[in-house]
Amino acid sequence: MRRTPSRRPFAAALLVASVLVPVSVVPATAVPAAAAPARHGTDDCPEHGKGHGHGHGLGPELTARLDKAIEDVRREAGIPGAVVGLWMPGKGSYVRATGVADTATGRPMTRDMYVRIGSETKTFTVTALLELVDAGRVGLDDPIADYVDGVPGGSGITLRNLAEMRSGLYPYTFDPDFQHDLLSDPSRSFTPEELLAYGYQHANTADPGEEFQYSNTNLVLLGLVIEKVSGRPLAEFIHRRVLRPAGLRHTLFPGDATFPEPHPRGYTDQTLTGETTDATDWNPSWAWAAGAMISDLHDLRSWAKTVATGTLLSPRTQAERLKTLPTGIPGTRYGLGIFETGGWIGHNGSIPGYETVTVYLPEEKATLVVMINTDITVDGQEPSSLLARAVTEIATPDHVYDRPFPQN
């Protein structure tokens, strides 16, 4: 847990990861059908396969500039391995894997790897919630107290407040006891109730709707709402109602340390000593609905457009999702489980060992995906954000990605 301003609190980091545990009654479990399907390349997805090439290029000059910028950031930020994909209809695409997936063996990073996507899980959880809104099963302005007992001030906190990070509930990942318990035993499995209890020890930080505060507590509660209303474990509901309709065959919601092959080793300094360690097999249950999911480049590319354009939702509900509000940080606004920065819409993720960025630029119908195998910050900045910024400064200079607030 990051403990100083220059190193985001693990709570914050966990925040990025969006970690949550299974819902009250039933633990979230990986859906077998989503485990690790065989890979099949497609004509429009040049990123599949193990090479380091660029797919359908953006031209030699732009490609060379992107190559240099990515490699410069990777080396300066100490990122072991990175995969970057940029697709710009009418102009071409760029897909690059660089560095190593394993610092001990030197095994190279490849484009077909699975990674833990941390807080990008929030986009799946909120999409699931919004599908229930479309079905008339829940209302965005319903109080959380209608669904979950014991929430401090729950009668005045709406589902909308939770999804837009304006509930005022204390982030459980900021709690010192939680940080100690997780880092003392990263293999431990947490329940949603256990996670919420850490946060409930503290007074609410603001009145509902008053202030933006990124908090995994909000998503754990939304996960519980989905389970209660649907009558299904969160992982199962997301698989059936989100992943399957979206055609995401390489995305899963594990209930333990499950991690399909191939995947890179992941490195973090979120430890009790502050030393760097291998977090590949840490149990992500602490992030649950906020950050426990796994995906790959192919699926994240597809998901970016699905989220930004709302293909799984009614136009009215998608419009609600895209009503972004200021975060207090210049250039970054937050909607319902989604942010907008420099015109890019989507989310990033950070969980010990891994970071990702998955965003879509409606103005150019462009998609950017970044996947790396470390979450170690550089001067307080997440390395995935440094890569995304460097790429967009070159490829879309009028729309530079700049997401400055840490999210674990």
Side-chain angles (χ1 to χ4, degrees):
M1 307 263 198
R2 310 297 180 185
R3 300 174 185 274
T4 66
S6 62
R7 302 172 67 215
R8 72 184 184 289
F10 185 90
L14 296 188
L15 178 69
V16 171
S18 210
V19 289
L20 290 177
V21 180
V23 158
S24 20
V25 229
V26 228
T29 53
V31 180
R39 304 287 183 140
H40 299 288
T42 61
D43 292 339
D44 64 341
C45 296
E47 71 274 14
H48 271 298
K50 299 198 174 202
H52 285 226
H54 304 93
H56 306 299
L58 290 170
E61 182 181 348
L62 185 54
T63 294
R65 290 178 64 199
L66 290 171
D67 280 347
K68 182 179 186 305
I70 290 169
E71 201 59 17
D72 286 349
V73 171
R74 190 182 71 79
R75 294 186 184 284
E76 290 169 10
I79 301 168
V83 178
V84 177
L86 175 66
W87 297 269
M88 303 180 71
K91 298 180 180 179
S93 62
Y94 172 97
V95 181
R96 172 73 163 163
T98 179
V100 298
D102 187 329
T103 58
T105 66
R107 175 168 59 99
M109 197 77 163
T110 58
R111 294 168 288 165
D112 61 347
M113 290 181 161
Y114 289 90
V115 294
R116 300 193 187 280
I117 62 172
S119 280
E120 289 196 30
T121 302
K122 292 177 172 69
T123 60
F124 292 93
T125 299
V126 173
T127 296
L129 176 77
L130 295 178
E131 288 192 351
L132 291 174
V133 170
D134 272 341
R137 307 279 301 278
V138 302
L140 283 173
D141 296 314
D142 293 346
I144 184 61
D146 286 358
Y147 304 95
V148 181
D149 294 333
V151 181
S155 61
I157 297 172
T158 66
L159 304 188
R160 184 190 301 275
N161 293 152
L162 295 168
E164 65 188 10
M165 301 294 181
R166 291 175 180 270
S167 70
L169 291 168
Y170 188 87
Y172 68 84
T173 53
F174 285 12
D175 179 74
D177 292 336
F178 167 74
Q179 297 175 15
H180 178 271
D181 292 347
L182 174 62
L183 297 182
S184 296
D185 182 11
S187 66
R188 171 178 171 175
S189 182
F190 291 84
T191 67
E193 291 77 14
E194 288 173 334
L195 297 175
L196 293 172
Y198 288 110
Y200 292 172
Q201 297 181 87
H202 305 268
N204 290 2
T205 59
D207 290 333
E210 188 176 276
E211 295 179 7
F212 173 87
Q213 181 180 36
Y214 194 85
S215 171
N216 284 337
T217 300
N218 297 326
L219 270 291
V220 172
L221 287 168
L222 291 181
L224 289 172
V225 171
I226 293 166
E227 288 199 337
K228 181 170 185 177
V229 174
S230 70
R232 298 183 181 278
L234 180 63
E236 181 184 331
F237 187 82
I238 286 179
H239 176 72
R240 292 189 178 193
R241 296 292 300 275
V242 180
L243 304 184
R244 187 182 293 167
L248 305 184
R249 298 177 56 248
H250 306 123
T251 302
L252 66 152
F253 195 140
D256 52 25
T258 296
F259 207 158
E261 294 285 359
H263 63 257
R265 308 303 297 180
Y267 305 94
T268 187
D269 63 353
Q270 295 198 64
T271 59
L272 291 175
T273 63
E275 296 179 358
T276 299
T277 193
D278 185 326
T280 307
D281 299 316
W282 286 17
N283 188 336
S285 67
W286 64 267
W288 192 46
M293 291 179 70
I294 291 169
S295 192
D296 74 349
L297 182 69
H298 173 271
D299 276 13
L300 293 179
R301 172 194 177 186
S302 176
W303 183 240
K305 184 176 181 180
T306 297
V307 171
T309 61
T311 54
L312 297 182
L313 304 173
S314 69
R316 179 177 179 178
T317 299
Q318 176 67 4
E320 291 295 316
R321 169 152 66 181
L322 295 179
K323 287 181 180 176
T324 59
L325 296 171
T327 61
I329 298 162
T332 301
R333 298 170 64 88
Y334 205 88
L336 301 179
I338 199 170
F339 67 69
E340 184 276 324
T341 179
W344 293 92
I345 296 172
H347 218 289
N348 62 334
S350 178
I351 195 167
Y354 301 90
E355 286 193 349
T356 54
V357 172
T358 299
V359 288
Y360 183 78
L361 182 62
E363 186 169 314
E364 298 195 25
K365 294 184 170 64
T367 301
L368 172 65
V369 176
V370 174
M371 311 189 312
I372 63 175
N373 59 341
T374 184
D375 68 313
I376 299 174
T377 57
V378 183
D379 296 328
Q381 299 187 73
E382 293 177 340
S384 57
S385 292
L386 295 176
L387 277 174
R389 184 182 304 130
V391 169
T392 55
E393 284 176 343
I394 293 170
T396 58
D398 293 331
H399 299 283
V400 175
Y401 176 99
D402 189 11
R403 185 185 187 284
F405 61 90
Q407 46 157 339
N408 251 41

